[in-house]
Each structure stands twice: as structure tokens, then as C-alpha cells.
Amino acid sequence: MPEPDVYERVMELAKRRGFIWPSAEIYGGVAGLVDYGPLGARMKRRIEEIWRSFYVLREGFHEIECPTVGVEPVYVASGHVKGFSDKMVQCPRCEEYLRADHVAAAHGVPNPAALSAEALSGALKELPCTACGEELGQVKVFDFNLMFNTWIGPGSQRKGYLRPETAQGIFTDFPRLLRFYRDKLPFGTVQVGKSFRNEISPRQGMIRLREFTQAEAEIFVHPEGKRHPGFARYAEYQVPLLGCCAQDEGKEEPVRVAMKDAVEGGLVANEYVGYYIALTHEILVSIGVDPARLRFRQHLTTERAHYAADCWDAEILSGRFGWVELVGIADRTDYDLKAHSAVSGVALTAYIPLEVPRMEKRKRIIPDMKALGPKFRGRAKEVADALVKADPGPGGVEIDVAGEKISIPASLYQVREEEVEVRGEEVMPHVIEPSYGIDRMCYAVLEHSYGEDMVEGEVRRVLRLPAAVAPVQAGVFPLVSRDGLDRVAAEIASTLTAGGIFTEFDESGAIGRRYRRQDEIGTPYAVTVDYQTLDDGTVTIRERDSMAQARVKKDALVATLRGLICGDIAFSSLGP
Ligand code: GAP
């Protein structure tokens, strides 16, 4: 089991070695905001690049970049203005603002996120405040909207919000994306960028931030086409799944299931959701999440959004925080496009040609211009154009002309019945959304890769990061800084850097200390130049995890390290 205080040790190392720092620390820092130091920023970029290698390179989903500020109607349509809030309570004694469901959860109230404000208020009455420990008493629980708001332009012109998720930009670009993808379904689009949520009391380091990075994919599919064309890739792939029925039965342990069986057995709603669960498992393990501390938990019916057909969270086990969600994978149906279509008035549908055209009887309105002219005068043509597009009702129709609703009685038009050939239909695509929190992934990787062992009577702190994620890939050390060893080592360091290997040259202190410094930041390989190098042109490579060493020709170093880093060469194959 992970140790509870591993968080302290990981964060101490992360701060000291330049991974994560409190933001604006010289002014006392701000809860929910962090800075990535030099090594953290590089590790984060590497994780984002691995994510892109799956979604952009392999899946072929193009990446777009939208502003972080959005106009109000976007978030009215998405439901964030009305419903993106957490239940908040203020302690009457210490005046701290707290998330009501978190206080309830801390005192063992079951499933508090599903409780109403009144029910939460009742549940909190006799509980102590999590900040000061005094009894909360009769406190009011109210909704606090998590969006940061602002004004766009001077003079309070347009209300705007900092985006609470990257997804909305993809939805509002749907018509252009559809054209870009040549009007065909399915297609996917991704976005990686900052999102903002004014979290009530973020006290969980990188887990709950007020500004964080998301990597989201929105995959637009035909509503009746949820068989993934590439499903075979993951049909036999086994993933630890904890379904909602198992949770209802009080189970906490996931069951490893081949994705084909999970979908065929109805545990996972469809192949698309199954495919992205498996792909997410592959990504998380490849960046260094421990597979033994990773599970996929299905949302309970009480926590799942009403419109979602299925929803799973990838969760990791943390020593401090328990199970933490890193990724949400949902079948959002047509909720988002429908909502944006209703508010913007733009049809967000795709025209899909039918495989076999069909004949259909249709009623068509023929406006009576002789009657419309005197009645509507200058607007008669506009009215007629709107009438032609309307469906005839029994006693007349209601049309919309420049935002005005007008009732037209049946006496102002004729109805003609015709048989038409239907070659295609407009469909509103459904959206499959895998949504990743990059900062939580970074923390998970740090915690899961952190280890301590005893080496030569001293504690060795080590980050067992995958080579593809490690911010420094090779340390280069001269055994001593004289006799030309330092010059050769410096040359090797620049050759490795020129060869695309991120290298750190270090000549200070005992060699053991230098190894420890690199172990602590997760550098997978250390190259040492010694006196033998001057004789035969070989250097030693030390592997971080096994601490084993092998001698290789320095001229072959770039190729050897590249092979080791990308996994094409096993260290054991290098010989002693
Ligand atoms: N578009 C769907 C969406 O945003 P979400 O579950 O709210 O879904 C997706 O967020 C992911 O973003 C989460 O799984 C989590 O990793 C990350 N995330 C959400 N809120 C966060 C916060 N306050 N701090 C850090 N990461 C957060």
C-alpha cells in the first residue's frame, strides 16, 4: 500500500529540484496555482508530447487552439453559467469558505456530492469545521459558480469567462471542422491548453488547481455508428474496470476484463467508449503510472450527467489522496451540439448520404403570393421564403422571420404532396470525449515513480521515470576534473545534445553524489568518462534502476542511448 506521507516527500523533492514551485511564492503563494520549474516544465511537455503521439499522430485527430477567454453565450449554451457550481459553506467561527460536500465526505457522510443544498446543510449541522475544528451548527449551503468572469473590451462591453474546459472551443468550431474533414463522420479534434476553475478551497497541491492544463479529444460520430473501425486493436486488451453495479454492491476492487468482453457484455456502453478506455490505459502506463494503482471506475447513475450514455474515470491510487481521477471518458450523446445549436441558431448537423436512396412522400408549402403581398407588403418575400421551409400543420404554421414569430393561417398557402428521392439525411453527431488533466497526470507520475532504497548505507531517493518522460535523459560525468577527462566528457555531452538527447554535464563532487543527484530527478542513464576512455575510447553507462554498468564505445553512444531511451535496446544486451 502507498504510504500516506509520500506526498510530503515527493513535493519536497519536486520543490528542491525544480519540478514544482508555489506560484508567486515571494508574495506568500496562492492556493490552487503552481509554477512548473525547469525540470517540471520539461517533464510536463514530454507528457503532453506522448499524449499527442497517441491522439494526433496515431489517431490522426488534428489539434486546434482556441482562446482561453470566451463570450457569455458559449457558456450559457454549455450550461456552465447556470450549473457549473459547487456547494459552499462558510464556517461561522473561522469564516473560512469550504466545499460543503468535502466537509461531509471528511466526516464519512456517504456520497455527499449527490445531496441537495438542504440535505447537506442538515448533514453538516453537528459536524466540526475542517479548518478550525469548531462545530459548524446551522449553516447555509449555497451554490458557488466556479467560472472566473471578466469583461471583454473597455467600458464593460461584453461579459466573458475564462474557459473551464477546452472542449467548448471544439464544439463552437464544429461547422468549420466538419468542412475541414470534408463533411464526413467520424472525425476527432483535440485541444491541449489551460482551463480555469475558481475552486473553493484547493488544498490538494496539483490535484485541485485553479488554473490547469487539459488535453481533450472530441470525437464526432454518427449517432447510430458507435462501432469503432479500429476496435480490433484493443479487443483483447485487458483493463481493470469497476462498473457501477459492482459499486452498488459495495465492491471496490476492479476486475480485469478484455475490452471485447466488456463491450459485448454491456459493461461498457459501446466500442468507442471501450476503445478510449483502453487507449487511456496505454497512455497512462506509458508515462509511468503504476498499473497496479490504476483503475477505471464507471460513474454511478447518481453522479453521471443526465445526458451521458456512459462515463468512466481513470483513477490512480495516491498515498495521500486515495483514488484520484486523472481522465474522464464519456459518451456525451448530442448534448453539446444540440445546446449550441439552440442558443446560436446555427444548425450543427452533418449531411450523411444514404447508402441506398429512398423515396419519401412529402408535403410542400406553396405560398399564395396574391394573398401574402397585400398582407405583408415589403416583407412578403421573406415570409414566403420562410413558409417554403416550414412543415405544414393542420390549421396553419408558425414561422420565424428575422427573430419574429408569425402565425400564418392555412388560407395563405397551398399544400402539395410530392414523392421525392431522399439521398441523405442531416444528423446531429454524438460526441465521445476523453478528457485528460495533465497536471494530475504529472503528479501521479511523480508519486508512482518515487522510491527510496538503501545504497552504501545511505538513503537513495529515486524517480523511476520512463526515459521518454525524464526531463534529463543522460548525465555525463568525468571521473575527475583533470588529465583531459573533463574535456572529453564535455565533448561527449555536446555530441549527445547535438544528437537530440537532453544531457546534463556534472563535474562537481564525488561520483556517487553525482549519481544520486541524477537518480533524484529521474535521469535514466549516466555516462562516466574515466582513464580507460583515454586508452580505448570506451565509457561506462550506468542504468538508474538497476545501478548496473556497461562499457560502450563513445562513438556509438548517441545510437546506444537513443535505442535505450526509446526501448529498442535492452540495457542487459550491452554486456558488462
Ligand atoms: N470536458 C470535460 C471535463 O472538463 P472534468 O472531469 O471536469 O471533465 C477533466 O475534467 C479532467 O481535468 C479531470 O479528470 C482532471 O484530471 C482535470 N481537472 C479537472 N478539474 C481540475 C482541477 N481543479 N485541477 C486540476 N485538474 C483538474
Side-chain angles (χ1 to χ4, degrees), residues 474-489:
V476 178
F477 318 140
L479 184 64
V480 289
S481 290
R482 57 173 186 271
D483 304 331
L485 299 189
D486 45 350
R487 185 184 47 78
V488 175

Side-chain angles (χ1 to χ4, degrees), residues 32 80 84 146 164-168 171 195-199 202 205-218 299 307 311 313-314 324-330 332 336 433-441:
H80 287 93
F84 193 56
L146 298 184
E165 58 180 14
T166 60
Q168 296 305 323
F171 298 139
S195 294
F196 303 83
R197 298 183 188 179
N198 202 1
E199 299 284 352
M206 293 162 73
I207 303 299
R208 196 162 297 282
L209 293 169
R210 287 176 165 145
E211 176 177 334
F212 54 99
T213 300
Q214 285 188 313
E216 299 198 287
E218 309 300 327
H299 278 202
Y307 50 80
C311 191
D313 287 344
V324 175
E325 171 196 338
L326 302 189
V327 186
I329 300 153
R332 300 178 59 90
D336 308 278
E433 179 193 68
S435 171
Y436 296 67
I438 297 287
D439 309 87
R440 290 189 185 177
M441 286 157 68

Side-chain angles (χ1 to χ4, degrees), residues 240-253:
L241 299 176
L242 182 61
C244 59
C245 295
Q247 292 169 69
D248 287 340
E249 288 163 18
K251 295 184 184 146
E252 289 190 356
E253 279 302 306

Side-chain angles (χ1 to χ4, degrees), residues 193-460:
K194 292 283 194 176
S195 294
F196 303 83
R197 298 183 188 179
N198 202 1
E199 299 284 352
I200 293 171
S201 49
R203 292 207 192 89
Q204 296 146 301
M206 293 162 73
I207 303 299
R208 196 162 297 282
L209 293 169
R210 287 176 165 145
E211 176 177 334
F212 54 99
T213 300
Q214 285 188 313
E216 299 198 287
E218 309 300 327
I219 302 131
F220 298 93
V221 304
H222 193 290
E224 279 135 40
K226 294 197 181 165
R227 302 207 64 162
H228 192 291
F231 188 71
R233 180 197 294 276
Y234 290 122
E236 302 300 333
Y237 193 96
Q238 297 219 346
V239 178
L241 299 176
L242 182 61
C244 59
C245 295
Q247 292 169 69
D248 287 340
E249 288 163 18
K251 295 184 184 146
E252 289 190 356
E253 279 302 306
V255 183
R256 292 192 72 83
V257 188
M259 208 28 90
K260 173 169 61 75
D261 299 332
V263 174
E264 279 172 12
L267 176 56
V268 170
N270 56 58
E271 286 187 0
Y272 267 95
V273 174
Y275 183 93
Y276 290 103
I277 289 176
L279 184 144
T280 299
H281 187 274
E282 199 184 347
I283 292 184
L284 293 180
V285 171
S286 72
I287 63 169
V289 166
D290 176 4
R293 287 179 272 174
L294 171 61
R295 72 178 187 190
F296 287 75
R297 188 183 68 78
Q298 190 172 36
H299 278 202
L300 298 169
T301 38
T302 47
E303 70 183 305
R304 191 169 77 202
H306 64 91
Y307 50 80
D310 198 8
C311 191
W312 291 78
D313 287 344
E315 298 181 330
I316 58 106
L317 187 57
S318 154
R320 164 71 69 94
F321 305 112
W323 287 104
V324 175
E325 171 196 338
L326 302 189
V327 186
I329 300 153
D331 177 342
R332 300 178 59 90
T333 65
D334 59 3
Y335 174 80
D336 308 278
L337 292 183
K338 209 185 235 170
H340 281 296
S341 185
V343 173
S344 66
V346 176
L348 299 177
T349 52
Y351 178 80
I352 305 296
L354 291 174
E355 276 177 27
V356 185
R358 60 169 190 265
M359 298 307 289
E360 229 176 66
K361 286 209 168 114
R362 286 214 182 138
K363 287 182 178 167
R364 192 156 69 88
I365 290 183
I366 313 289
D368 182 348
M369 290 311 287
K370 280 200 190 123
L372 288 177
K375 194 164 167 56
F376 293 101
R377 300 176 184 276
R379 299 175 71 200
K381 181 163 180 336
E382 269 184 290
V383 171
D385 288 347
L387 258 180
V388 170
K389 291 183 200 142
D391 283 331
V397 290
E398 191 177 73
I399 54 169
D400 186 320
V401 178
E404 188 191 341
K405 299 259 183 271
I406 305 175
S407 293
I408 307 286
S411 57
L412 299 186
Y413 58 82
Q414 289 172 1
V415 176
R416 192 172 294 161
E417 198 162 288
E418 351 181 280
E419 202 168 28
V420 289
E421 188 186 41
V422 180
R423 295 179 163 272
E425 55 194 2
E426 294 288 338
V427 300
M428 190 166 273
H430 281 198
V431 170
I432 312 295
E433 179 193 68
S435 171
Y436 296 67
I438 297 287
D439 309 87
R440 290 189 185 177
M441 286 157 68
C442 288
Y443 176 72
V445 168
L446 287 174
E447 186 180 315
H448 284 192
S449 66
Y450 180 84
E452 289 176 7
D453 45 31
M454 289 302 285
V455 176
E456 293 160 9
E458 272 186 44
V459 178
R460 174 176 89 125

